[in-house]
Amino acid sequence: MEHGTRDIKSSTFCLTDEDHTLANALRFTLNQDPRVVFCGYSIPHPSDAQVNIRVQTTGAHAGLVLKDALQNLRAMCQHIRSTMDGAVKEYKENPPVEAMETEETEE
């Protein structure tokens, strides 16, 4: 849901069923975009699963900038997931050769 004026370059978006996890990652992603002048978020009340994200741009449509940021964040998460899955698979296929020495193995 979008709140704000008729100005396309600044809007506040309300995300329901979300918390700091998504909001902080999205804020970081938005602030990496050169079209963004300001981005911040607030959670109106701790017991409500709701986040308000404010986006102000240099002239681009704030909704499109938010959409781009969400797509970039999704791509980053997919990259992290595939990298992690690959590392786990490689570790399982090639376990470490040397075992750690413990008191049990020394006897």
Side-chain angles (χ1 to χ4, degrees):
M1 173 184 272
E2 182 178 353
H3 302 282
T5 62
R6 296 176 192 256
D7 186 12
I8 64 166
K9 63 183 183 177
S10 31
S11 292
T12 301
F13 302 90
C14 179
L15 306 178
T16 57
D17 297 328
E18 295 299 341
D19 59 12
H20 290 285
T21 304
L22 176 66
N24 197 34
L26 186 55
R27 179 198 56 80
F28 176 81
T29 305
L30 280 162
N31 281 324
Q32 300 301 311
D33 192 324
R35 300 173 292 176
V36 175
V37 175
F38 171 81
C39 176
Y41 77 90
S42 66
I43 295 181
H45 194 276
S47 66
D48 294 335
Q50 179 179 330
V51 174
N52 293 325
I53 297 180
R54 178 75 177 168
V55 180
Q56 294 176 330
T57 68
T58 57
H61 192 287
L64 295 177
V65 172
L66 178 67
K67 181 180 175 184
D68 291 345
L70 286 165
Q71 290 172 340
N72 289 340
L73 184 58
R74 182 178 183 180
M76 283 189 270
C77 290
Q78 288 172 338
H79 174 71
I80 291 168
R81 179 63 184 255
S82 66
T83 302
M84 180 67 178
D85 289 345
V88 168
K89 181 180 178 185
E90 182 180 332
Y91 179 82
K92 287 180 178 179
E93 291 173 355
N94 304 309
V97 177
E98 296 178 22
M100 285 182 45
E101 289 186 26
T102 63
E103 293 177 18
E104 296 171 3
T105 58
E106 292 176 359
E107 295 175 359

